[in-house]
Amino acid sequence: MTPKIDRQHVAQALRGAYDRVKNTTGGKNADYIPYLANVPSTLFGIAACLTDGTVVAVGDTEYRFGIESVSKVPTALLAMQQYGAQEVLDRIGADATGLPFNSIIAILLENDHPSTPLVNAGAISACSLIKPVGDRDGKWQSILRFVEALCGAQVGVIDELYRSESETNFNNRSIAWLLKNYNRIYDDPDLSLDLYTRQCSIGITAKELATLAATIAAGGRNPVTGEEVFRAELTPKITAMMATVGFYEHTGDWLFTTGLPAKTGVGGGIMGVVPGVMGVAAFAPPLDSAGNSVKAQRALADIAAQLGLNLFDAPRAAVREAQAAKA
Ligand code: GLU
């Protein structure tokens, strides 16, 4: 349905987007986590990974930045892999809150109604569900190994970011205990919050993030390493969640503009998934008011338009193809 996409097309699209977006100004680094305020704000990189394993990159794609909220995607997937999609829907949900990512009001308003693992409350709740592996620090090992399998690389926590975040995450502490109050957390709140904080502090490159997205696009099989990481039936579930709430309260505008399921993080990274086709990631620290990278979102929107990646446009392409075949 989507146009033929190969290395050459993708390389051209990435280079074009990079050149058009690189001089964009506006936005500012997240400053509520001190570490993030000090990341050089001129960094900018874009990477794509096709479902055949081809990786294309331009700009600062080897720099390890804080994955932040993009980490909510792997943990939601892991919870669905361990419990099944329906149980995660029942215990956490898949609804947009329409409110900021760290909203307390959303919990108060929806205390009898589940939300989504892609905002802070649901993500802390998802961390609380994760089943451990190995015999030490089992829940964390489970999350970390899963992220590594998805992106096909060894990743680790940026210690300074983890410290910086742990020392300042008062709002998230309130969320964890409020969830406890409403029986929406399934393990110790402090432990679950610590897992969440650690996963947000994982350092990742744009190339690794693109590969992570490509593993989702490829139905759970990492196209670079060949490892089967999760069940293919979960790709439409996680992409539906990303499409619903991946840009927080700007998600509708984003989806309307691009038709691309994507997830952002306050570290400046954004990853997009085109099921069956490719994963794409961009990174640039300055953020807009909702916490989405200004340059990264422009770059992904540019690439989506150039390559015809709008999922909702697939019927038009299918009709064109059918008509051409008949003629
Ligand atoms: N660790 C950050 C927080 O919970 C992640 C937020 C984000 O990337 O949206 O505040």
Side-chain angles (χ1 to χ4, degrees), residues 83-311:
Y83 290 85
Q86 185 61 46
E87 193 164 337
V88 171
L89 183 68
D90 294 342
R91 294 173 82 170
I92 302 176
D95 263 344
T97 62
L99 291 164
F101 61 89
N102 53 2
S103 175
I104 300 241
I105 293 178
I107 306 171
L108 298 172
L109 290 175
E110 302 196 332
N111 62 63
D112 60 342
H113 176 83
S115 169
T116 164
L118 300 196
V119 298
N120 288 20
I124 296 169
S125 185
C127 285
S128 77
L129 278 175
I130 295 307
K131 295 178 185 167
V133 295
D135 42 35
R136 256 195 73 245
D137 211 4
K139 284 193 162 210
W140 171 243
Q141 288 308 321
S142 190
I143 292 171
L144 185 64
R145 286 186 202 174
F146 193 69
V147 173
E148 291 185 330
L150 287 168
C151 67
Q154 271 200 325
V155 295
V157 162
I158 303 173
D159 290 328
E160 204 187 326
L161 174 57
Y162 171 60
R163 267 198 308 279
S164 185
E165 212 156 318
S166 302
E167 282 163 7
T168 52
N169 62 354
F170 310 114
N171 190 83
N172 287 341
R173 289 183 216 175
S174 320
I175 290 177
W177 282 97
L178 204 53
L179 290 171
K180 172 80 176 165
N181 186 51
Y182 292 123
N183 296 320
R184 284 177 48 198
I185 196 155
Y186 306 102
D187 199 341
D188 178 67
D190 288 331
L191 179 114
S192 308
L193 174 64
D194 184 57
L195 286 169
Y196 169 76
T197 311
R198 274 201 259 182
Q199 75 174 30
C200 285
S201 309
I202 287 174
I204 198 156
T205 68
K207 271 193 198 164
E208 290 160 355
L209 205 53
T211 307
L212 193 158
T215 303
I216 299 175
R221 183 173 186 276
N222 184 317
V224 176
T225 64
E227 184 181 347
E228 299 284 346
V229 186
F230 66 85
R231 295 188 300 281
E233 75 212 37
L234 299 180
T235 287
K237 302 300 183 200
I238 195 69
T239 43
M241 284 175 174
M242 291 167 69
T244 311
V245 73
F247 268 66
Y248 303 119
E249 68 271 34
H250 289 180
T251 306
D253 289 358
W254 169 257
L255 205 58
F256 184 91
T257 309
T258 65
L260 176 69
K263 182 74 198 82
T264 73
V266 295
I270 304 183
M271 108 179 155
V273 174
V274 190
V277 181
M278 68 195 280
V280 57
F283 158 65
L287 311 177
D288 66 15
S289 59
N292 302 318
S293 166
V294 172
K295 277 187 189 160
Q297 60 182 301
R298 283 218 187 154
L300 292 201
D302 186 300
I303 292 163
Q306 286 185 73
L307 295 175
L309 303 180
N310 189 328
L311 287 190

